[in-house]
């Protein structure tokens, strides 16, 4: 028994909770089920792991590059606030869960495991549940398990004395959210990537589908009745044509935007070793030229974004190819749900930058409104929500509604992130510990879940679960023939959609 426990602990700690090895494990399993030769299996598995590690370097670099700027904004304006960032949110739960609820954080990891099993079962029986996607982003699962653990204990304090029932209720809600949320992104991602065979399993899954719908309804071409100009179709006069290059566009916009912010913060902050130690970044020496430091920091945003995109291209092909083995043998008609950064390798790359900037402007305006209104909870924007949420939503919005959708929808998304986080983090007590997950779904649907369960108890739990499981059923009823076809044979799905349009005419 002790050997089995040791094996499970190793798997939970080094595979399930480590996204690169989780992706590698899924790739390995898929190729084995397909009967691939050992050297092809080894090669594909290594490429999947290395691709995810490259992606993590890009994502981590973007986050660490932004940290001194975020810290400077907080210190420069003397704000004691709640940082909306997945890692700050996870740390807040870790710091406060025992003091607030008398529980250990390790139970959140148990929740992760049981919820993942619920996700697998919902996908395994997808002919009944209509759920087609397996949530594979382990690091995101850890962050979400932590925040869901807190929110559900806050909403249902009567469960605190019954650990088994607490875990079951939490796992069903979180597992259903993983299965249903990632399932909502199938159509947007298949259309964006032209059938690459992945969905998004991240923190803004409802936000992606909402952005897709709003962009199509408000900004789309309405069957050819409205002209839609996408970001890539912009014809810029003269030197503005440099913005057609993704790397150049990112470098210029980041240098302009963050250069101003860093100048306002001032060199003394970045040189102060005490501030650096307090906020977790490396202080620069007094002798360093501040202009060059700002330039280097801003240009690194373009570097890390390029690294991230390389990681995507490296692993996504292997994962989607190998997942066919899992789909055929274990999870029929399903596709993997992956990190939202994967979609940055598709569509118009400049839409990523514009979506991010529009979302950031929305966040900053919302924060200014909170300060002016005297809000008891002041939000400090984190790079992960403002970039990964809004860049992803902007990319999808551009595909359906062009540049207007790419700018307007992420702008309002940024405002929603701040206002939603301020309301929920202050109410449930996480703001006290300095952080909240703060990404789109966790500022919208999860606060709604919390309110329903807080005031309706177990009836609220039933309402939340039934509402979640009803969403794929509703989507299926709208197009029974194309629903599974979009994941099984995308080319045939495109023909199916064309035939449906022709019949309407």
């Amino acid at each position: 028994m002790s050997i089995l426990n040791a094996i499970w602990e190793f798997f939970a700690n080094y595979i399930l909770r480590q996204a690169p090895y989780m992706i590698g494990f899924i790739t390995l399993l898929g190729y084995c089920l397909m009967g691939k030769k050992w050297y092809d299996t080894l090669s594909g598995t290594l490429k999947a792991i290395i691709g995810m590690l490259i992606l993590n370097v890009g994502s981590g670099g973007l986050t660490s590059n932004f940290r001194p700027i975020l810290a400077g904004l907080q210190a420069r304006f003397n704000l004691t606030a709640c940082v909306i960032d997945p890692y700050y949110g996870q740390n807040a739960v870790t710091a406060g869960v025992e003091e607030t609820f008398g529980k250990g954080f390790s139970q959140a990891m148990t929740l992760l495991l049981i919820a993942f099993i619920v996700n697998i079962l919902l996908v395994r029986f997808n002919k009944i549940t209509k759920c087609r996607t397996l949530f594979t982003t382990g690091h995101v699962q850890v962050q979400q398990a932590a925040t869901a653990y807190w929110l559900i204990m806050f909403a249902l304090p009567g469960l605190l004395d019954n650990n088994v029932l607490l875990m079951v209720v939490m796992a069903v809600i979180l597992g259903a959210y993983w299965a249903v949320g990632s399932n909502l992104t199938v159509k947007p991602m298949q259309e964006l990537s032209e059938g690459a065979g992945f969905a998004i399993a991240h923190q803004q899954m409802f936000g992606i589908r909402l952005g897709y719908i709003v962009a199509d309804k408000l900004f789309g071409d309405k069957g050819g009745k409205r002209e839609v100009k996408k970001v890539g179709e912009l014809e810029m006069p003269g030197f503005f044509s440099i913005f057609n290059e993704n790397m150049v566009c990112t470098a210029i916009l980041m240098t302009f935007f963050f250069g101003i912010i860093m100048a306002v913060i001032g060199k003394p902050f970045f040189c102060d070793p005490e501030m650096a130690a307090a906020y977790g970044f490396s202080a620069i020496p007094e002798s360093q030229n501040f202009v060059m430091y700002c330039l280097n920091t801003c240009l690194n945003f373009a570097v890390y974004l390029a690294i991230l995109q390389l990681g995507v291209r490296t692993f996504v092909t292997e994962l989607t190819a190998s997942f066919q083995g899992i789909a055929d043998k274990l999870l029929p008609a399903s596709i993997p749900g992956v990190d939202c950064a994967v979609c940055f390798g598709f569509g118009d790359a400049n839409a990523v930058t514009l979506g991010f900037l529009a979302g950031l402007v929305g966040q900053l305006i919302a924060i200014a409104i909170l300060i002016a209104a005297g809000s008891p909870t002041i939000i400090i924007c984190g790079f992960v929500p403002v970039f990964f949420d809004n860049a992803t939503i902007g990319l999808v919005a551009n595909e359906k509604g062009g540049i207007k959708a790419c700018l307007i929808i992420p702008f309002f998304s940024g405002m929603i992130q701040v206002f939603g986080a301020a309301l929920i983090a202050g109410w449930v007590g996480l703001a006290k510990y300095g952080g909240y997950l703060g990404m789109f779904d966790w500022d919208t649907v999860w606060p709604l879940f919390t309110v329903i369960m807080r005031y309706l108890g177990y009836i609220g739990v039933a309402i939340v679960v039934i509402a979640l499981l009803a969403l794929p059923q509703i989507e299926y009823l709208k197009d029974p023939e194309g629903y599974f076809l979009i994941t099984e044979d995308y080319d045939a799905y495109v023909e199916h959609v064309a035939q449906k349009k022709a019949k309407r005419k």
Side-chain angles (χ1 to χ4, degrees), residues 190-256:
Q190 286 291 81
E191 291 183 3
L192 176 70
S193 66
E194 297 182 344
F198 67 87
I200 297 300
H202 209 260
Q203 321 269 25
Q204 64 298 95
M205 299 177 294
F206 279 74
I208 289 171
R209 191 56 182 263
L210 181 61
Y212 173 90
I213 293 170
V214 172
D216 187 34
K217 299 297 183 184
L218 297 186
F219 303 98
D221 64 7
K222 292 287 185 181
K225 296 178 182 178
R226 181 190 295 158
E227 182 182 358
V228 174
K229 180 171 283 188
K230 296 184 180 179
V231 172
E233 297 172 7
L234 288 177
E235 294 182 7
M236 301 179 183
F239 69 90
F240 279 101
S241 61
I242 60 176
F243 287 98
N244 292 328
E245 283 288 337
N246 176 46
M247 239 181 249
V248 176
C249 177
T250 302
I252 291 174
L253 291 175
M254 296 302 179
T255 301
F256 174 78

Side-chain angles (χ1 to χ4, degrees), residues 12-54:
N13 290 326
Y14 298 104
I15 305 297
L16 189 59
R17 293 176 58 184
Q18 302 291 330
Y21 296 101
M22 180 67 172
I23 293 295
F25 175 76
I26 292 172
T27 303
L28 173 65
L29 179 61
Y31 279 141
C32 288
L33 290 172
M34 291 173 73
K36 288 278 187 177
K37 295 180 179 178
W38 70 267
Y39 47 85
D40 290 331
T41 300
L42 176 62
S43 174
T45 301
L46 288 175
K47 284 171 69 177
I49 294 172
I50 292 168
M52 275 299 298
L53 290 171
I54 293 172

Side-chain angles (χ1 to χ4, degrees), residues 15-295:
I15 305 297
L16 189 59
R17 293 176 58 184
Q18 302 291 330
Y21 296 101
M22 180 67 172
I23 293 295
F25 175 76
I26 292 172
T27 303
L28 173 65
L29 179 61
Y31 279 141
C32 288
L33 290 172
M34 291 173 73
K36 288 278 187 177
K37 295 180 179 178
W38 70 267
Y39 47 85
D40 290 331
T41 300
L42 176 62
S43 174
T45 301
L46 288 175
K47 284 171 69 177
I49 294 172
I50 292 168
M52 275 299 298
L53 290 171
I54 293 172
L55 185 146
N56 285 348
V57 170
S59 298
L62 287 170
T63 303
S64 61
N65 210 46
F66 186 70
R67 185 173 291 117
I69 301 172
L70 173 65
L73 286 171
Q74 187 171 0
R76 176 72 171 78
F77 297 103
N78 195 30
L79 292 174
T80 300
C82 175
V83 180
I84 49 173
D85 178 273
Y87 298 100
Y88 276 83
Q90 184 179 326
N91 290 339
V93 174
T94 306
V97 69
E98 186 171 351
E99 177 184 328
T100 304
F101 299 108
K103 296 287 185 179
F105 182 74
S106 61
Q107 282 193 324
M109 296 304 98
T110 305
L111 165 61
L112 187 158
L113 168 64
I114 304 173
F116 189 56
I117 292 172
V118 171
N119 186 182
I120 292 172
L121 291 174
L122 288 172
V123 177
R124 178 63 184 87
F125 298 103
N126 59 18
K127 295 300 180 183
I128 299 171
T129 66
K130 306 299 185 281
C131 295
R132 301 163 292 182
T133 50
L134 184 67
F135 203 112
T136 66
T137 41
H139 64 295
V140 172
Q141 288 175 312
V142 173
Q143 296 158 4
Q144 294 186 356
T147 303
Y149 184 54
W150 184 290
L151 295 181
I152 296 173
M153 283 193 293
F154 172 83
L156 302 166
L159 289 176
L160 295 177
D161 296 327
N162 189 331
N163 283 335
V164 175
L165 184 58
L166 176 67
M167 285 294 108
V168 170
V169 169
M170 287 183 172
V172 169
I173 295 171
L174 186 58
Y177 165 73
W178 285 345
V180 172
S182 55
N183 188 74
L184 286 173
T185 72
V186 170
K187 190 174 182 180
M189 288 303 114
Q190 286 291 81
E191 291 183 3
L192 176 70
S193 66
E194 297 182 344
F198 67 87
I200 297 300
H202 209 260
Q203 321 269 25
Q204 64 298 95
M205 299 177 294
F206 279 74
I208 289 171
R209 191 56 182 263
L210 181 61
Y212 173 90
I213 293 170
V214 172
D216 187 34
K217 299 297 183 184
L218 297 186
F219 303 98
D221 64 7
K222 292 287 185 181
K225 296 178 182 178
R226 181 190 295 158
E227 182 182 358
V228 174
K229 180 171 283 188
K230 296 184 180 179
V231 172
E233 297 172 7
L234 288 177
E235 294 182 7
M236 301 179 183
F239 69 90
F240 279 101
S241 61
I242 60 176
F243 287 98
N244 292 328
E245 283 288 337
N246 176 46
M247 239 181 249
V248 176
C249 177
T250 302
I252 291 174
L253 291 175
M254 296 302 179
T255 301
F256 174 78
F257 195 85
F258 286 113
I260 293 173
I261 293 176
M262 294 176 77
V264 170
I265 294 170
K267 183 178 179 180
F269 174 82
F270 296 102
C271 294
D272 190 333
E274 292 184 4
M275 286 292 183
Y279 289 100
F281 66 91
S282 299
I284 63 173
E286 290 281 355
S287 59
Q288 182 162 345
N289 184 284
F290 187 56
V291 173
M292 291 306 299
Y293 170 72
C294 293
L295 179 63

